[in-house]
Every structure is written in structure tokens, then in C-alpha cells.
Amino acid sequence: MKKHSARVAPLSACNSPVLTLTKVEGEECLRDGPGPAEAPVVGTGAEAGRRSRRCCRCSGPQLRKLSWGLAVVLCVCASWASSTQLAKLTFHTFDAPFTLTWFATAWNCLFFPLYYAGHICKAAERQSVLQRYRECCRFFGDNGLTLKVFFTKAAPFGVLWTLTNYLYLHAIKKINTTDASVLFCCNKAFVFLLSWIVLRDRFMGVRIVATILAIAGIVMMTYADGFHSHSVIGIALVVGSASMSALYKVLFKLLLGSAKFGEAALFLSVLGVFNILFVTCIPVILYFTKVEYWSPFSDIPWGNLCGFSVLLLTFNIVLNFGIAVTYPTLMSLGIVLSVPVNAGLVPAEQLCSVFAAVDHYTSKIVFNGVRVIAIIIIGLGFLLLLLPEEWDVWLIKLLTHLKVRKKEETVEGGGDLGAGPQNKRRAHPSFTR
């Protein structure tokens, strides 16, 4: 498995993967494959054999990455859809979305221990926990993780992380999980807008079109339910969650840049520590003010709470570290595929999600024409946002290659047809004699 030297930004729990490696991987694929000018019209058997062996060498690593990509897509899709459905079921007996957010975020403390366990298993030169911790702390600056750095660089992201998850969980109390999953895909459009405005990223017309489609899909989704109060509030909560997720990602890139895998694991664990130290008081206040209701301690569905936390932790681990084994674009597709899984359109057993068809039987979704069009529009916008920056260059190269290949086949076919009658005319006199 090829080890990437690129750096990745840790994402919020509901955020989409970074696409920094898409360009690099795409360029490697273009370099590996022969260009239009390199493809000969006619080749000998030896040349054909060399080309075949070269293609096999090129396709081997790519096939492995695609195989890993398929596993990652299934894992992302199953963990995201299952966690959403399990949270929906949990609220039937435990109506406390902020407490559930706090409980699940506390599990972030396991990120760095899990990363270190992987380091012990894979690294050639193993380091102690303290050595690895000090090396990863360089991400925060020359002085490491000081108290000042904790409050200025980690605490704001802890707040954004909590808001992202809380708004999303509170939204699925108001609307069905299918609509919530579809609407959250709009965070990709918000990331592009903020990156364009704040980070001065490259302007791309196709992404502007995708953003317009996302906004149109939000409006149509609201219209599909007739602008009822509970529906409007739920949609507003999901859009707010997507906005917090986009703000998290853009601010991380602006203030902290990018992080290696160990640094990302340490950063996410620091967010878990911040959650335990400074957010714990909020669920207690909400309980005593009767804003959130807790059932008696013995009746709390600990299985659902722990199951949701494990699924969300799995989703974040795959989303942040799956980039090491496959293409980032494939991981993004897992979030899109969670939409039909949540809607019960795909059999649950095929995607390892035991809660896949819950919406189909319990939420009573009315898939009218407006809702279906809104889902398609938002999904199309999300897919357009996955296009790399040089997609037009790659498309031109592909069309040029196909055009040259078609011309070569036409020339070869014309030569064969021209030689046929001439051979017949030469053979005819000898036959008559």
C-alpha cells in the first residue's frame, strides 16, 4: 500500500472528505496511461506485449485502491445511515439530543489511542506514547499544546463540532432521516462558497451551478411538505448543521492548515477532552431546567447510546483516515449512497445496515414529485462538486484520445477494404487460366 505524504484536515462528524489528493491521483493516472500521440497505429507482437505488461503494472495498484474504495464506500454508507437511524430510534425513549451529542463526542478521546495502536502494528520504527504525542503536538506550534493554544485553536472547533452534531440530531426529530441526509449533502456547496470567499480558492463555474442546484433543492424540499412549521424548522436545523460543518472545515484550513494522520487523531482527541471538561455542564443544566428529559438511570437505553457512539466513531475514523488507502471521491460517494439506504430503497442486508429500511416503514415518507426532484437536484449538485479542478482538461484529453483512436481505426479499416478488391483482381486471371 502506497503511503501518502500529503496532509489531511480532520473533519467534523458530519463533514465530507477532503479532496486534496484527487488532483494528484488524477495526474498520476494520466501519466500512467499512454497519451494519444504515444499510441502507434500498428504494432508488432513484442510491442503489444510490452504495452500489455505495462498496463497490467499500472492497473494493479489502481485495482487495489478501487477495491479498498468499495469497502470504504460501504463502510461510510452503512455507518452513517445506521447511526442516523439509530439516533432516530433512540429519541423514542430518550428525548435528549444534546446529551446524545455530548455522549458521542466524548468517544473522540479514543482517536489518538486507536491511532497509536495502528502505529505500533505498522510502523518500522516504533515510538513510545510520549514520543509520539510530542511529535504530533508540533502541529499546534513550536511550544506544543499549551493552555493558550487549547483555548484559542482547539476550543472554537470543539464548539463547531458540537453545534454540527446537535443541530443534525435535533433536526431528525422534526423531519425524516432521508430528508436530513439529502439536505446535509449541501454542506459541500457551503464549503465551496466559503473557500471561494475566505480562502480565495479557484473559481469554478460548474461548482457555482452545483451550489445553485443545492439551494434550489433546499427550497423544493421545503415546498414538498407545504411549508409546515415542523418541516421548516427541521430543514433550517439541517441547513444550520451543514453550515457549521462547512465553517469548521474552512476555518481549520485557514487557521491550522492541514494535518498528518497522527496530528489529526490527536486534534480529534483534544476535541473529546474539551467536550468532557467544558461541555458536560450543559446537559446537566438542560436536565434540571427540563429542556431535555432523561428517563430514570436504569431505563436509559445504554445500548442505543453506545451503538450510536460506536457507529459515529467508525464513520469519523473511516472518513478521516480512509484517504490513506483509496480515492477521496469514493469516500464522498458513501454519503450520497446513504440517502437511498435511509429511504429503504436499497435492501439493508446488502449494505450491512440493520436500520436501512426504517424510514420506509415508520416515517411515512410521501415521495411526491417535488420531493423526488429535490433529492435528484441536490444529489446532482453534490456529484458536480466532486469534480476536480482540472476536470475540463481531463475531459478534453479523453475526447482527443478517443478521436485519434477512432481515426486510426478508420484508417486501418479503409486500408483493409482497399486491399480486398485489388487482391481479387490479381487472383482472377490466374484462376481463369
Side-chain angles (χ1 to χ4, degrees):
M1 179 175 67
K2 182 174 67 177
K3 182 178 180 181
H4 293 288
S5 60
R7 299 161 71 88
V8 297
L11 312 174
S12 68
C14 304
N15 213 340
S16 55
V18 187
L19 297 178
T20 51
L21 292 184
T22 306
K23 174 180 176 182
V24 178
E25 297 295 342
E27 290 176 349
E28 290 177 357
C29 292
L30 289 175
R31 288 197 297 268
D32 289 341
E38 298 175 350
V41 177
V42 179
T44 62
E47 292 175 349
R50 284 195 297 269
R51 286 200 304 272
S52 177
R53 288 192 296 270
R54 185 167 64 250
C55 291
C56 291
R57 288 196 299 270
C58 294
S59 62
Q62 294 175 2
L63 288 177
R64 282 195 297 271
K65 292 196 74 170
L66 289 174
S67 300
W68 277 106
L70 179 60
V72 168
V73 165
L74 294 177
C75 187
V76 168
C77 177
S79 59
W80 178 241
S82 300
S83 62
T84 302
Q85 295 289 351
L86 188 57
K88 184 83 170 182
L89 293 176
T90 303
F91 291 146
H92 294 164
T93 55
F94 187 76
D95 189 12
F98 194 93
T99 304
L100 183 59
T101 301
W102 169 82
F103 184 80
T105 305
W107 287 58
N108 279 14
C109 297
L110 297 176
F111 266 100
F112 189 75
L114 291 175
Y115 164 77
Y116 183 74
H119 167 75
I120 292 296
C121 296
K122 295 292 184 180
E125 299 180 0
R126 298 172 182 172
Q127 297 177 329
S128 65
V129 178
L130 186 59
Q131 290 175 333
R132 198 62 189 165
Y133 170 78
R134 289 175 178 174
E135 183 175 338
C136 294
C137 277
R138 297 175 186 174
F139 168 71
F140 295 99
D142 297 334
N143 297 326
L145 184 60
T146 61
L147 193 62
K148 179 181 178 181
V149 171
F150 179 81
F151 284 105
T152 57
K153 292 187 177 181
F157 294 101
V159 173
L160 290 175
W161 180 286
T162 302
L163 286 175
T164 298
N165 288 274
Y166 169 68
L167 292 176
Y168 185 84
L169 291 177
H170 194 68
I172 62 177
K173 290 178 54 181
K174 305 288 184 179
I175 59 178
N176 57 73
T177 55
T178 302
D179 290 353
S181 299
V182 171
L183 291 168
F184 192 82
C185 291
C186 296
N187 78 317
K188 199 76 174 171
F190 300 153
V191 169
F192 164 70
L193 290 177
L194 289 175
S195 299
W196 179 39
I197 296 172
V198 178
L199 303 179
R200 305 295 181 183
D201 281 359
R202 176 186 171 186
F203 174 83
M204 291 182 62
V206 67
R207 293 187 179 177
I208 289 293
V209 174
T211 303
I212 295 174
L213 291 175
I215 296 174
I218 294 174
V219 176
M220 294 182 66
M221 189 69 73
T222 308
Y223 175 76
D225 290 331
F227 294 96
H228 297 298
S229 59
H230 69 281
S231 177
V232 173
I233 293 174
I235 291 173
L237 289 172
V238 177
V239 173
S241 175
S243 302
M244 292 298 102
S245 175
L247 185 61
Y248 174 100
K249 182 177 178 180
V250 174
L251 285 182
F252 187 95
K253 189 174 182 181
L254 178 66
L255 300 178
L256 299 176
S258 56
K260 296 179 181 178
F261 296 118
E263 297 168 348
L266 178 61
F267 183 82
L268 293 171
S269 293
V270 169
L271 295 187
V273 174
F274 170 82
N275 176 77
I276 294 175
L277 294 178
F278 298 99
V279 185
T280 304
C281 59
I282 299 180
V284 177
I285 294 174
L286 294 177
Y287 172 75
F288 284 106
T289 56
K290 298 183 179 181
V291 176
E292 291 189 352
Y293 172 76
W294 299 357
S295 54
F297 190 81
S298 58
D299 296 334
I300 293 178
W302 293 108
N304 288 355
L305 267 65
C306 294
F308 170 77
S309 302
V310 170
L311 289 171
L312 200 59
L313 180 66
T314 303
F315 172 77
N316 282 286
I317 290 175
V318 176
L319 202 62
N320 282 278
F321 305 127
I323 194 175
V325 295
T326 188
Y327 302 101
T329 305
L330 291 178
M331 294 189 294
S332 300
L333 294 178
I335 300 176
V336 180
L337 290 176
S338 67
V339 175
V341 172
N342 275 313
L345 300 179
V346 178
E349 62 274 7
Q350 294 183 6
L351 290 175
C352 304
S353 174
V354 295
F355 304 104
V358 173
D359 266 352
H360 184 71
Y361 297 105
T362 62
S363 297
K364 299 181 181 179
I365 306 174
V366 179
F367 284 99
N368 52 32
V370 177
R371 186 185 299 275
V372 172
I373 294 174
I375 293 175
I376 293 174
I377 287 177
I378 294 177
L380 179 61
F382 186 89
L383 294 177
L384 288 178
L385 288 167
L386 295 181
L387 292 176
E389 293 185 356
E390 287 78 15
W391 70 275
D392 51 346
V393 178
W394 296 353
L395 181 61
I396 291 174
K397 288 183 178 181
L398 177 62
L399 294 177
T400 303
H401 177 70
L402 294 176
K403 185 177 180 180
V404 172
R405 186 173 179 180
K406 184 177 180 180
K407 186 181 295 184
E408 292 170 354
E409 292 176 353
T410 304
V411 171
E412 292 179 0
D416 294 338
L417 292 175
Q422 186 176 3
N423 291 338
K424 289 181 180 180
R425 287 195 298 269
R426 289 179 180 175
H428 183 70
S430 63
F431 181 77
T432 54
R433 289 178 187 175

